[in-house]
Amino acid sequence: MTEPVWGPVHRDIVDLLADHPADVPAVVDHLTKLQDMLVRLPPLEESCPLADFNRLYLTITSSVLDGLYDDRFVDPVFLSRLDVEFAARYFDAMRLWTDSSPGTPKAWSCLFERMRGPDARPLPSAAAGVNAHINFDLPFALVTTFAHLESEPVDGSDQHHDYLEINNIFADKIPGLRRGYLERWQLLIDMLNGDIDDWYQGELVEYTRDVAWRNAQKIWRCRHDPDARECERTRLDDNAAALGRLLLSPLGAFLQ
């Protein structure tokens, strides 16, 4: 008999994924419950690669929710919808993996495959998840959001302003998150490097999210052409999967 994908927490995760969060508080609730389940997933448990990413995602999404409560965004309806659509793609990838579906995005599969070992260091695992979620999921989440709101991705718009504001949340949270993934000897090197690593990671997130916006604009222009849209989906999935495998490789771990 084949062992369930999620081991002893399989039923709990399946039940969680059966519910589709409809707003940002529900997304935060889902990510919180999922984190509790992932850290109990053998054989890696606390060092589960997906848990390393989910922890980062939960921190950023919680900060977005705080920003919505604090009127930080010009168009909170857009930001809320984008957050829900963005999370839906992550949960959809998990559902496909749960069903052993060949339709599971390759960008996510390279991380999901590491949950049974060999162990991956926390920082590369988190980076691989961010890569899949931003480089593959985010452009399509943007397109779905704009279609739902009957708007479009325009540079300099209120929506674009709010989209860029998320970069500031990353910049604020990256130093603490990144150090939380480091081992003692890495923390020593990090201290010697000063703020260089934090600056570099912030610049990388900003660049990657800008590329995602540009890709969303490209997909938007061909959204009514199924063949062209599928070509874009395949291209982005292949590129994100290649980068994900590099990030999880010994070389990628060393470079981080």
Side-chain angles (χ1 to χ4, degrees), residues 119-164:
D119 198 3
R121 279 172 39 200
L123 183 57
S125 297
V130 171
N131 160 64
H133 210 25
I134 293 181
N135 286 322
F136 179 63
D137 290 341
L138 185 52
F140 293 99
L142 281 163
V143 169
T144 305
T145 297
F146 280 114
H148 176 82
L149 298 177
E150 299 181 344
S151 183
E152 57 185 297
V154 176
D155 290 357
S157 62
D158 288 346
Q159 292 82 12
H160 191 214
H161 171 275
D162 286 345
Y163 180 81
L164 295 177

Side-chain angles (χ1 to χ4, degrees), residues 52 55 71 75 86 92 176 234 245:
D52 292 326
R55 175 157 59 93
D71 296 324
D75 188 346
F86 193 34
D92 284 346
T234 301
R245 287 191 292 269

Side-chain angles (χ1 to χ4, degrees), residues 128-251:
V130 171
N131 160 64
H133 210 25
I134 293 181
N135 286 322
F136 179 63
D137 290 341
L138 185 52
F140 293 99
L142 281 163
V143 169
T144 305
T145 297
F146 280 114
H148 176 82
L149 298 177
E150 299 181 344
S151 183
E152 57 185 297
V154 176
D155 290 357
S157 62
D158 288 346
Q159 292 82 12
H160 191 214
H161 171 275
D162 286 345
Y163 180 81
L164 295 177
E165 183 63 23
I166 302 298
N167 294 342
N168 294 326
I169 291 178
F170 269 99
D172 179 55
K173 297 298 180 182
I174 278 176
L177 283 167
R178 193 173 59 79
R179 291 184 180 89
Y181 293 120
L182 300 180
E183 298 173 16
R184 185 173 300 177
W185 65 270
Q186 293 172 311
L187 286 170
L188 177 59
I189 295 175
D190 183 75
M191 182 179 67
L192 294 174
N193 285 339
D195 295 330
I196 293 176
D197 290 335
D198 294 335
W199 173 83
Y200 166 74
Q201 293 288 341
E203 290 292 306
L204 185 60
V205 167
E206 185 173 336
Y207 170 79
T208 303
R209 295 189 77 254
D210 182 63
V211 170
W213 178 267
R214 302 299 166 203
N215 281 325
Q217 291 177 318
K218 186 174 182 180
I219 296 166
W220 181 260
R221 290 191 292 270
C222 69
R223 66 191 183 283
H224 299 307
D225 183 338
D227 291 337
R229 183 183 171 104
E230 177 60 21
C231 283
E232 283 303 299
R233 189 204 67 78
T234 301
R235 178 181 70 86
L236 294 178
D237 195 15
D238 287 344
N239 290 346
L243 180 54
R245 287 191 292 269
L246 173 62
L247 290 168
L248 291 166
S249 71
L251 174 61

